[in-house]
Amino acid sequence: MTRHHRSETTRSLISSAATLAFTGCILIGSPLRAQKFEPNYDEALVPKYELPPIVDAATAEEHDFNAAWGKRRKELLRLFGEQMYGSQPTTSFQVSCQKIESGKSAGGKALRQQFRQTISTDSGEHSIDLLVFTPQDASGPVPCFLGLNFYGNHTVAPDQEIEITQSWCRNSEDKGVKDNRATEAGRGTSSSRWPVELIVDAGFGVATVYCGDIDPDRHDEFQDGVHALFPEHRPSQEHPDRWGTISAWAWGLSRALDCIQQEVAEVDGNRVVVVGHSRLGKTALWTGATDTRFAAAISNDSGCGGAALSRRAIGETVGRINTVFPHWFCPNFKQYNENENALPIDQHQLVALLAPRPVYVASASEDLWADPRGEFLSAKLGSSIYVQLGTMGLALEEFPQPDTASVGRVSYHLRKGKHDINAWDWGHYIEFMKQL
Ligand code: GTR
């Protein structure tokens, strides 16, 4: 069998597996395994794997399927918490949210509002800034996107009034970060990723928080950021199931939603959609799973630890991500380095945790590191639960050609191009938003 032939065979097996509604799917690939941490990009070298079912056959037959799914959903959520992202603290905290500034933005089309949230526990106080744009001419509360940004709120728009973060930032000349401090030079440097005008013109709001305001993206044994508010809940050898940075970011997004629901009259707090790119796309899915107040979730190029199936081990793998970013997931997740088949979960089940709320998985054709095909398979397999719950699944049957978008209750698109989020992606997210 030629390599080409084998990969076509694998592909058709995968697509027929994708139509299997709920049983575990056995996918055939090569028994060969890529060398330790050497990325594999060859479909023919995807290892043999069997995916854990979203619901087993007996559950699927339950008379009251909604109730049976509710039980199974809890179990899946617990497994993702314990084995992958880490549980969030359950002890009490106080939170206050104050408007610190407002004015016109985006050439007068948007109302810009900035809020400072202060979260306190017996162990201290921590502040997080929230930036919200809504259409200037809205006649009532609007649905709103909420997502984290990588380098500070001031990077999302060339607007002099946006506060510059005081939190630790990764050094970047392009983003105006020097000595781990954000500067004026960063203003608007990520605006291609945040098309505020396009969004407000469509009648929606967009809100953002700097991820490093919640938890700086560095490995410090979970000492800083919101981890410091809950020292009794730090991950450790004895407690390898506690929150890593992605879970902390998700917790912070829930706090931002608290603030929106309580203080931002221009936004409809029941129609807030969590969105994120890349590591922040992984976070968007986990946030939507843990906090059902979010009306929907959008993961853009989220890859390994996001929408991509871990067991395919193509592009970035579990071993690689845990080595380069040891703080993103909980310590338990490291057991699965080079050992994905031992995972009790896989990422199609994370997509399923959004059901029946709308979910969007997006990929870019040249972003092989994030495994576009694995992201598509998660969306397709995860969508089976939507069908079982009596709503619509993903309309696409096969992994599509670049520049194809299928927008519905479960949505997927493959943008032509590189790892990024741009106006093409947002145009489709705006279409998706219209169903709310
Ligand atoms: C990469 C990482 C990916 C993705 C990306 C990003 O270095 O390997 O998992 O998260 O960073 O967030 O831009």
Side-chain angles (χ1 to χ4, degrees):
M1 186 186 280
T2 63
R3 170 166 294 179
H4 174 71
H5 189 164
R6 188 209 303 254
S7 90
E8 282 310 304
T9 310
T10 309
R11 232 165 263 169
S12 63
L13 273 167
I14 287 174
S15 73
S16 60
T19 59
L20 278 179
F22 40 80
T23 50
C25 325
I26 298 169
L27 308 182
I28 315 289
S30 162
L32 291 178
R33 182 65 210 256
Q35 261 194 324
K36 209 172 185 219
F37 303 155
E38 264 311 302
N40 168 46
Y41 292 112
D42 186 349
E43 275 296 324
L45 296 183
V46 168
K48 269 190 182 163
Y49 65 91
E50 187 175 339
L51 290 174
I54 298 173
V55 294
D56 61 22
T59 308
E61 294 304 315
E62 289 271 343
H63 180 64
D64 187 350
F65 181 74
N66 280 22
W69 166 241
K71 232 171 110 197
R72 171 66 172 153
R73 187 182 185 280
K74 265 197 190 137
E75 185 185 13
L76 285 173
L77 197 60
R78 179 181 59 76
L79 285 170
F80 275 103
E82 278 176 14
Q83 302 299 319
M84 192 167 179
Y85 301 102
S87 64
Q88 297 175 343
T90 51
T91 47
S92 65
F93 57 88
Q94 286 81 48
V95 53
S96 73
C97 176
Q98 255 159 12
K99 194 191 286 189
I100 53 172
E101 192 273 342
S102 71
K104 283 187 183 176
S105 192
K109 288 182 166 183
L111 167 66
R112 175 197 61 246
Q113 299 185 79
Q114 300 185 73
F115 298 84
R116 182 153 299 153
Q117 248 189 323
T118 306
I119 307 167
S120 36
T121 64
D122 292 346
S123 302
E125 234 179 52
H126 187 85
S127 291
I128 296 172
D129 282 1
L130 169 71
L131 168 66
V132 186
F133 295 103
T134 47
Q136 183 66 46
D137 57 1
S139 54
V142 295
C144 187
F145 296 101
L146 169 63
L148 299 177
N149 64 72
F150 283 78
Y151 286 97
N153 293 349
H154 65 293
T155 62
V156 312
D159 176 332
Q160 295 302 314
E161 301 305 324
I162 301 175
E163 292 281 318
I164 294 185
T165 182
Q166 300 300 308
S167 303
W168 180 94
C169 295
R170 169 155 299 108
N171 283 333
S172 161
E173 220 177 294
D174 289 355
K175 303 290 172 187
V177 183
K178 220 179 150 220
D179 302 326
N180 301 116
R181 293 286 146 210
T183 69
E184 286 287 336
R187 284 199 187 281
T189 51
S190 298
S191 55
S192 67
R193 290 184 165 184
W194 297 92
V196 175
E197 207 173 314
L198 187 78
I199 297 169
V200 296
D201 274 350
F204 300 128
V206 56
T208 187
V209 168
Y210 168 47
C211 66
D213 259 13
I214 302 169
D215 192 27
D217 191 3
R218 60 176 172 184
H219 188 40
D220 69 339
E221 302 293 343
F222 314 105
Q223 297 301 312
D224 62 8
V226 295
H227 282 110
L229 293 176
F230 301 94
E232 72 293 346
H233 191 75
R234 279 202 177 103
S236 63
Q237 255 180 352
E238 300 74 53
H239 299 287
D241 59 347
R242 290 178 174 172
W243 59 347
T245 291
I246 289 178
S247 230
W249 287 337
W251 188 86
L253 280 164
S254 288
R255 302 293 69 79
L257 182 57
D258 296 340
C259 181
I260 290 174
Q261 290 189 334
Q262 285 153 26
E263 302 295 333
V264 190
E266 293 76 9
V267 169
D268 177 349
N270 294 319
R271 288 188 291 166
V272 176
V273 174
V274 61
V275 56
H277 168 62
S278 205
R279 66 197 69 181
L280 306 178
K282 309 179 204 303
T283 308
L285 287 175
W286 183 232
T287 307
T290 50
D291 190 340
T292 54
R293 293 176 303 162
F294 284 98
I298 301 170
S299 103
N300 189 90
D301 304 0
S302 59
C304 180
L309 292 174
S310 300
R311 280 170 174 76
R312 277 171 51 82
I314 195 163
E316 187 172 31
T317 59
V318 171
R320 172 76 189 228
I321 205 167
N322 276 329
T323 305
V324 180
F325 305 102
H327 57 295
W328 282 0
F329 300 92
C330 73
N332 267 342
F333 194 45
K334 298 193 170 69
Q335 300 171 62
Y336 306 104
N337 291 357
E338 303 301 302
N339 186 26
E340 296 88 351
N341 275 325
L343 271 164
I345 44 175
D346 213 320
Q347 301 309 100
H348 59 311
Q349 296 170 316
L350 181 63
V351 173
L353 287 178
L354 269 298
R357 293 164 294 155
V359 64
Y360 202 133
V361 173
S363 313
S365 63
E366 292 165 27
D367 187 16
L368 301 182
W369 184 240
D371 185 18
R373 186 182 291 273
E375 294 174 325
F376 164 75
L377 284 170
S378 266
K380 186 67 196 170
L381 293 166
S383 100
S384 64
I385 199 73
Y386 285 74
V387 177
Q388 286 170 291
L389 288 168
T391 59
M392 295 286 284
L394 177 61
L396 275 178
E397 289 298 339
E398 301 281 341
F399 183 56
Q401 290 301 311
D403 278 350
T404 306
S406 175
V407 178
R409 177 75 71 126
V410 180
S411 303
Y412 178 81
H413 75 228
L414 180 65
R415 173 176 48 75
K416 190 167 183 205
K418 291 205 261 296
H419 185 70
D420 199 1
I421 179 168
N422 65 19
W424 192 92
D425 298 303
W426 279 102
H428 295 286
Y429 301 152
I430 285 169
E431 280 309 304
F432 172 75
M433 188 76 141
K434 291 180 182 164
Q435 72 188 287
L436 294 184

